[in-house]
Amino acid sequence: MTYPFEVVISSLPYVLGGAMVTIGIVVGAMALGLFIGIPLALIQVYGNRLIKYVADVYVWFFRGVPVLVLLFLFYFGLFSLIDLNITAFWAAVLVLGLRGGAYQSQIFRGSILSIPDGQLKAAEALGMTNWQGIVYIILPQAIRIALPGWSNEYSIVLKDSAIAFVLGTSEIMSRTHFVASRTYEQLPMYICAGCIYFVLTWIGVFFLRRFENKLKIPGYST
Amino acid sequence: MSIENTEVLLKVEGISKSFGGKRILKDVSLSLNKGDLKVLIGPSGGGKSTLLQCINLLITPDKGKIFLNNRDVSFNKKKDVLALRQQIGMIFQDFNLFDHLTALDNVSIALRKVKKMSKKDAYIRAQMELERVGLGDKLHHYPAELSGGQKQRVSIARALAMDPLLLLLDEPTSALDPELISEVLTVIRELSNSGMTMLMATHQMGFVKSLAQEILFMENGRIIEHDTPENLLNKSKVRTRTQDFCSKLL
Ligand SMILES: Nc1ncnc2c1ncn2[C@@H]1O[C@H](COP(=O)(O)OP(=O)(O)OP(=O)(O)O)[C@@H](O)[C@H]1O
Ligand SMILES: [Mg+2]
């Protein structure tokens, strides 16, 4: 008979390999979410009615449907319908990223709206185009203001990535599940998985917090 | 008349503007000669801010014409609009400094992004302008680290760095504590003395009496009286609306 502890130790390298996959999914999804979220937020604040409506529909959809349903819908439904042959890993990145875009857009929309609109007016009064004002004046401030919310979004996406295991992605959760069901050491294995998520969450939040402090505007309190 | 015309820098003709069916500016005309300092006074809601923002097309007028240096500016040609704004500096009541940039960057950013100057040249120019408004020791301070008067002086430096033909000032001292007003007025006075053309909404009557060529009294979207401060405030035989209004100030 082996001690439960030994199973955890001996499977740790394997499970931690899954952590690399998890990190890959999260980094990919957060990046895609940023790439979609900022333009969506700009459209929601500055866009004309038609394009605003399209953005709203996007956000409604991804905020309104459970992530598990989204994964199945895209991976087993939509992707095969359009003959998109991608791995479970990329499917997870894509789905979490598309959904993250909807949530991130709300974070950035809020931070854009919190900047006094006189600053954009001042930029235009100096001869900047509307676009220059947004890029050089509004966004640098909006991104700073969005960082705490963005870090929160990171912690949510990280934990939601566990659900990618249903597609067979070999990340933390699916590797843990694999070992646990083989060895019947369910409790220690899931404690171990929980600890890894816990540590990854707070490491990420810690570094985002440092980044936030580094970008902090002197004398400016928020 | 033709001799006078060569001196005209800005001419505004019959500007009207409505917001949501409500007429805010009604057929407003005025002109500024080079070096003029004219002031807009009048009750709150009379349309002073709207008029100033129509002049640099931050608000597009519904009707009317704007001539800058005798050139008819078309309101819907983007290039014309941007060119006009570069030539007209604007000072706002609540400064509208860029909160994420130091004083130096606040002043230099438009030089770099609009005038496409190199970073080095832009900094040299920005530093010069900040020194001119007495802020040579605050180059690397962020807006949140400056007093109201200092912020307003940064915003004046920011406008001046663009080499504007004229400045529009919208109540530049009314967000300031009383003891900070004079440092900003001193800067504006020096500018006027050095020949800068200015149109300024203000209720600083001491300043107006000592420096303004003309008072434009604005009420309900119209300029209802305009004359020299002396004629409007002291000499006139009948009591003017301007006198009436000013007697209620302070
Ligand atoms: N964007 C807008 N939409 C609707 N109404 C507006 C808008 N901007 C200004 N107004 C209205 O136009 C009128 C004139 O406003 P304006 O700010 O030009 O007056 P003002 O003379 O500058 O007043 P104050 O002395 O208070 O600054 C006000 O009744 C105001 O409510
Ligand atoms: Mg006003």
Side-chain angles (χ1 to χ4, degrees), chain B residues 19 22 24 42-51 93 170-171 203:
Chain B
F19 283 119
K22 197 170 160 240
I24 304 299
S44 179
K48 302 178 296 291
S49 299
T50 309
L51 174 61
Q93 179 173 345
D170 191 359
E171 306 200 39
H203 291 137

Side-chain angles (χ1 to χ4, degrees), chain A residues 14-50:
Chain A
Y14 175 66
V15 176
L16 282 178
M20 300 318 287
V21 178
T22 293
I23 290 170
I25 292 173
V26 173
V27 169
M30 289 304 287
L32 179 60
L34 193 65
F35 206 72
I36 295 171
I38 289 180
L40 269 188
L42 290 175
I43 287 169
Q44 289 188 314
V45 178
Y46 301 110
N48 66 32
R49 263 182 47 201
L50 181 72

